[in-house]
Amino acid sequence: LPRMSKCLTKLSAGLLSQRLRFLFIVTISFVFFIMYRWRGGADSEGQFYSLPTQSVCDQILPKASGIPPLHGEVIFVETSEQMDPSYLFTCAVESAARTHPGTRVVVLMKGLASRNASLPHHWGFSLLSCFPNVEIRPLDLPELFSGTPLAKWYLQAQQHWEPYFLPVLSDACRIAIMWKFGGIYLDTDFIVLRNLKNLSNALGMQSQDELNGAFLSFKPKHEFIMLCMQDFVQNYNGWIWTHQGPKLLTRVFKKWCSISNIQNNRNCKGVRALSPEAFYPIRWEAWKKLFDTISSSELHKLLQNTYAVHVWNKLSHGTRLEITSQALLAQLYSQFCPATYAKMKKGS
């Protein structure tokens, strides 16, 4: 009997140990489940949000089975604190990612720098995360401008109010990026139609005698870009629209080439000014054509020499677009950023 009593005591202790172990496992599992649900989180409007599953990404990129070694960079910049990307924003990045599958597409966002690099829950970031070559990073302005002629300007500019400061800041960012890192810079209101990697030390003409910096492609430390930064500071005037952007690039290019007219002198000393149809087939004065109906054949003819279409968002952003129509812009969404287009159709 004493031996049996001793065995029962050991058995009871063993069962208790197993129960405690079971309760521990159940508790830990529950905690991990709660943490997983919490990380999915509620979005800013209190609606339940979860990160995209692989099946969702497979619908966006059904043939994606990895990514080749990345080279070069296509760069977008958001200089405001905005962290809720629009349809056009996501279309710009998506179209660039699709046309440059072997190239890193980097989105620099000022708003992210103040959030400890934590992306908010938003369908746009969820969609873009499906593209393995897209990276979204903080935009550290003091660091970007350090070591350039723009560093002192930026410190002083923060002390004064100017009516066009955000566009001017964007103008400064793009030339600083080209100087330090090189690569391809694009505004976030472009829809990219084809690969841009064969363009180097180039920018686009928005009219017959004026350049535009919405697209830039330069090797790092290029002398032309240094001249742009120096002119930015020496001839600074933040009170004149485009003075630090298109007008700056135009006057520097004319000095660079020692010319008074760009139209017949578009290539000199290793820098090319590409014709308007390359990036600005729709002139800013005619931006409403983006919403006009156009046949597929007419669209193909219009864009046969076009790398990317600038949508002139500052002018066009308040105009209603019939998503499923044959409007020029609707066809561009459908063909070149189909994942964004599908989201637009659901949202409408």
Side-chain angles (χ1 to χ4, degrees), residues 73-117:
E73 289 187 343
V74 177
I75 303 169
F76 295 92
V77 175
E78 177 56 66
T79 53
S80 74
E81 298 288 342
Q82 185 174 334
M83 291 299 292
D84 53 341
S86 66
Y87 289 127
L88 182 55
F89 182 106
T90 59
C91 180
V93 180
E94 178 187 346
S95 63
R98 289 182 182 275
T99 51
H100 299 79
T103 301
R104 185 177 288 105
V105 178
V106 178
V107 184
L108 299 174
M109 305 192 76
K110 183 173 180 288
L112 193 57
S114 61
R115 296 175 56 91
N116 296 320

Side-chain angles (χ1 to χ4, degrees), residues 77-298:
V77 175
E78 177 56 66
T79 53
S80 74
E81 298 288 342
Q82 185 174 334
M83 291 299 292
D84 53 341
S86 66
Y87 289 127
L88 182 55
F89 182 106
T90 59
C91 180
V93 180
E94 178 187 346
S95 63
R98 289 182 182 275
T99 51
H100 299 79
T103 301
R104 185 177 288 105
V105 178
V106 178
V107 184
L108 299 174
M109 305 192 76
K110 183 173 180 288
L112 193 57
S114 61
R115 296 175 56 91
N116 296 320
S118 175
L119 280 173
H121 297 304
H122 187 279
W123 67 265
F125 296 123
S126 176
L127 184 152
L128 294 177
S129 71
C130 289
F131 293 89
N133 57 332
V134 171
E135 294 182 12
I136 301 175
R137 305 176 189 168
L139 173 61
D140 186 334
L141 291 170
E143 175 62 27
L144 174 62
F145 294 135
S146 67
T148 77
L150 301 170
K152 186 177 180 180
W153 161 82
Y154 178 65
L155 291 176
Q156 294 174 341
Q158 297 304 295
Q159 303 171 14
H160 306 286
W161 180 88
E162 294 177 359
Y164 309 119
F165 183 69
L166 277 182
V168 167
L169 182 60
S170 178
D171 292 330
C173 285
R174 68 192 70 186
I175 55 178
I177 287 169
M178 288 294 98
W179 170 255
K180 282 194 166 184
F181 311 111
I184 298 167
Y185 167 84
L186 290 170
D187 274 1
T188 55
D189 56 350
F190 263 116
I191 298 180
V192 185
L193 314 187
R194 61 184 71 178
N195 193 286
L196 309 172
K197 296 296 289 183
N198 65 325
L199 303 176
S200 183
N201 301 331
L203 64 171
M205 299 173 64
Q206 69 174 15
S207 64
Q208 293 305 315
D209 198 48
E210 188 167 45
L211 302 174
N212 191 307
F215 155 80
L216 294 171
S217 178
F218 280 87
K219 294 180 179 178
K221 305 298 189 293
H222 197 284
E223 185 183 352
F224 178 83
I225 298 298
M226 174 54 74
L227 292 176
C228 288
M229 292 192 295
Q230 292 172 348
D231 185 283
F232 187 102
V233 175
Q234 293 168 3
N235 300 303
Y236 184 77
N237 190 331
W239 293 82
I240 300 176
W241 176 248
T242 74
H243 183 78
Q244 302 302 122
K247 288 184 172 59
L248 179 150
L249 294 168
T250 301
R251 61 180 177 263
V252 171
F253 187 83
K254 287 181 176 180
K255 290 178 184 178
W256 175 263
C257 297
S258 300
I259 58 176
S260 59
N261 184 284
I262 299 177
Q263 186 173 357
N264 300 319
N265 302 274
R266 299 188 307 192
N267 190 343
C268 72
K269 296 168 64 175
V271 178
R272 287 190 293 165
L274 304 175
S275 60
E277 59 264 27
F279 290 93
Y280 312 100
I282 306 296
R283 293 178 53 131
W284 70 267
E285 302 96 330
W287 64 269
K288 291 183 179 179
K289 288 185 178 180
L290 292 163
F291 300 87
D292 290 344
T293 298
I294 186 172
S295 69
S296 298
S297 59
E298 290 175 318

Side-chain angles (χ1 to χ4, degrees), residues 8-22:
L8 287 172
T9 301
K10 288 184 178 180
L11 181 60
S12 299
L15 289 172
L16 180 60
S17 175
Q18 289 182 5
R19 285 177 181 175
L20 289 174
R21 188 180 296 115
F22 175 78

